[in-house]
Amino acid sequence: MSLDTLSARLAAHVIDTPWDALPPAAVLAAKHMALDTLAVAWAGTSAPGIPPVRETIVDEGGKPHSTVWATHAKIPARSAAFLNSAAAAALDFDGMRASERGSVHSDSVVLPAALAVAEQHGATGRELVAALVLGNDIVTRLGAASALPHRGWYQTAIYGILGAAAAAARLMKLDAEQAMHALGIAVNQACSTQLPNIERSLVKRYSSAFAAQGGVLSALLASRGVTAARQAIEGRSGFYDLYQPGEPDRLLDGLGVSYPHVETGIKRFPSCACNHTAIEAALQLAREHPVHASEITELDVTISPYVHRLVGAPFDPSTDPQVAAQFSVQYSVAAALLRRRFGVGDIEPEAVLDPATLALARRVAVHVDETWGNSRAATVTVRTHAGGRRERHVAHIPGSREAPLSEADRGDKALDCLRAGACPLDAAQAQRLVERVLGLDELANAGELLKGLGPVHAGSPSA
């Protein structure tokens, strides 16, 4: 196969890279990401919008190839990828590689697609890990090569579908030519904009799911001889032309040597990452200078234009309280100041609709510093009746490369999430799953990963 197009170069990288050529750091990062994604998905299985769709798709049935996480149900791989990706995205707690060029939640798309296909095809744990490394590499490379300005696409979805297709192609043992066509087929399905984030609707948590499902379908079609445009990314009317411009040299820089997914951050808070610096600033103020809401005369948060677009709109939880909270900097600051924490319980509808929190959230004044561009930084300022003025600026998202979480914090997060959701695991089960994920490359069959970890009563699709 000629390597004269971007799709061909990426496909050859995905298919031809041997296990021994994958850097240990890239392998370890993929396993840590898989643990975080699986854990937050486990907690997300009971999130608003997830159970009714799961029940509908499981009821449709089909060949029992792949597991619906936190259940005993098995359904076709494409459907399992869809449902599990939706659960992974539901709490907005999944890992993210943040950059001004392109912030992507790669593994919430790649892992559900890859694990579903691995189960269907009886792949080994090592084959699954290799697919995760290479699929996440494709997504994060595309994100890093994105050219500014952003056009409003949800980059996790439009890049994620190519990573899911790549991982599925590797696990299906396609050749490089077929994998190139899988990437081209994925471009034909790429979708999802930032509008559901901005309007705070439940369909946002399915943007990743459409990409995961589409990636599996792309590889399946390619395996059956369906062809696609060779210049799907860089050609006239291709991805870069119509979706989001990108820089080919940056995309290919270090291909097979460096793996940008190693810089993926593990989130500290279950909220849009654009809120995280504001949450951290508010938490620091609350812990250092506790103040009651009645003492506050003014509460301000300053953010960049990019952050404002996603989380700066007036806070209105009347339709979808959880999504509204996840995409509101006003709610984020108010909840963190009042409760001195920000966890999964703080985005539950009853917590979001707490009268005291609602009242303070509506008093938060949002300011935009136009000079900050796409920065994720935030400044929170509190003024009191006594004349006090306290301010805290946080430049980097907690959990990012600049402010990483400790190993203990990452472990605690995983265990907490695994003990939540539609099928909470007990401490021993949760620890067993953690050990299986971190030892994934030693499993003879990737399908053993979730063995014995579903609900007590088999056959319950929504348990």
Side-chain angles (χ1 to χ4, degrees):
M1 180 183 73
S2 172
L3 300 181
D4 59 346
T5 70
L6 293 179
S7 296
R9 293 283 298 275
L10 295 177
H13 168 58
V14 167
I15 300 303
D16 296 338
T17 299
W19 169 262
D20 291 344
L22 298 175
V27 170
L28 183 61
K31 291 192 289 185
H32 283 159
M33 290 165 66
L35 175 58
D36 186 67
T37 300
L38 185 57
V40 300
W42 208 271
T45 53
S46 61
I50 301 300
V53 176
R54 180 173 64 239
E55 291 164 7
T56 298
I57 291 178
V58 171
D59 283 347
E60 285 183 344
K63 292 186 176 180
H65 287 154
S66 307
T67 302
V68 180
W69 298 347
T71 82
H72 286 298
K74 288 205 170 189
I75 56 177
R78 282 190 294 136
S79 298
F82 179 85
L83 289 176
N84 295 334
S85 179
L91 298 180
D92 238 287
F93 213 1
D94 48 318
M96 183 185 75
R97 184 179 187 272
S99 74
E100 291 196 12
R101 286 177 165 268
S103 296
V104 290
H105 304 259
S106 64
D107 204 53
S108 59
V109 181
V110 173
L111 175 65
L115 183 51
V117 173
E119 282 190 88
Q120 179 183 1
H121 290 267
T124 66
R126 178 171 290 189
E127 288 171 335
L128 173 57
V129 173
L132 294 176
V133 170
L134 294 159
N136 281 306
D137 184 45
I138 297 301
V139 183
T140 50
R141 280 186 170 277
L142 285 163
S146 178
L148 298 174
H150 295 286
R151 287 183 173 178
W153 292 100
Y154 183 49
Q155 295 193 347
T156 293
I158 64 170
Y159 298 142
I161 191 172
L162 277 83
R170 171 98 181 192
L171 288 161
M172 291 181 188
K173 302 186 186 304
L174 304 190
D175 62 30
E177 181 86 14
Q178 292 171 312
M180 178 195 70
H181 290 305
L183 295 178
I185 295 168
V187 168
N188 266 40
Q189 299 179 80
C191 64
S192 296
T193 75
Q194 290 181 331
L195 190 58
N197 309 43
I198 295 168
E199 292 196 0
R200 303 166 182 178
S201 57
L202 281 174
V203 77
K204 185 270 169 188
R205 52 195 53 177
Y206 286 97
S207 296
S208 301
F210 290 125
Q213 174 180 254
V216 176
L217 178 60
S218 297
L220 178 61
L221 293 178
S223 76
R224 298 302 180 98
V226 176
T227 60
R230 297 183 63 87
Q231 293 188 340
I233 297 174
E234 74 276 25
R236 181 180 179 184
S237 298
F239 187 94
Y240 279 168
D241 191 14
L242 296 181
Y243 284 82
Q244 180 69 44
E247 300 176 11
D249 290 345
R250 186 181 288 268
L251 174 64
L252 299 175
D253 184 38
L255 187 68
V257 178
S258 61
Y259 286 78
H261 74 272
V262 302
E263 297 175 354
T264 296
I266 303 298
K267 278 189 170 185
R268 184 185 291 277
F269 311 117
S271 178
C272 176
C274 288
N275 288 321
H276 284 215
T277 52
I279 293 172
E280 181 64 24
L283 287 175
Q284 290 181 16
L285 286 172
R287 291 165 182 161
E288 295 168 11
H289 307 285
V291 61
H292 192 273
S294 62
E295 300 175 61
I296 298 174
T297 58
E298 295 180 35
L299 180 53
D300 299 339
V301 59
T302 302
I303 52 179
S304 72
Y306 176 84
V307 170
H308 184 265
R309 183 174 75 192
L310 290 176
V311 299
F315 178 51
D316 178 11
S318 59
T319 303
D320 295 309
Q322 187 173 84
V323 184
Q326 291 170 311
F327 289 88
S328 171
V329 72
Q330 298 97 319
Y331 175 81
S332 299
V333 168
L337 272 177
L338 284 180
R339 300 172 187 150
R340 302 182 201 175
R341 66 169 194 269
F342 201 98
V344 172
D346 297 296
I347 58 169
E348 292 295 337
E350 56 269 25
V352 177
L353 298 175
D354 168 63
T357 311
L358 282 175
L360 186 58
R362 288 168 178 152
R363 294 171 56 196
V364 176
V366 179
H367 305 279
V368 179
D369 190 323
E370 298 291 341
T371 67
W372 288 9
N374 289 331
S375 169
R376 281 24 170 214
T379 301
V380 175
T381 306
V382 178
R383 294 177 177 84
T384 66
H385 286 289
R389 181 183 184 279
R390 294 156 189 162
E391 182 175 287
R392 184 56 56 117
H393 177 81
V394 175
H396 303 296
I397 296 171
S400 66
R401 177 182 58 179
E402 295 84 2
L405 301 188
S406 68
E407 183 176 348
D409 285 341
R410 296 197 307 268
D412 288 346
K413 173 188 172 182
L415 292 173
D416 286 346
C417 287
L418 291 170
R419 293 194 289 260
C423 175
L425 300 181
D426 62 33
Q429 290 175 316
Q431 186 59 43
R432 190 184 317 147
L433 183 53
V434 169
E435 292 169 359
R436 286 179 185 176
V437 175
L438 296 180
L440 184 55
D441 46 333
E442 302 300 325
L443 287 183
N445 189 319
E448 296 290 303
L449 181 63
L450 302 177
K451 185 177 180 181
L453 297 176
V456 174
H457 301 292
S460 174
S462 61

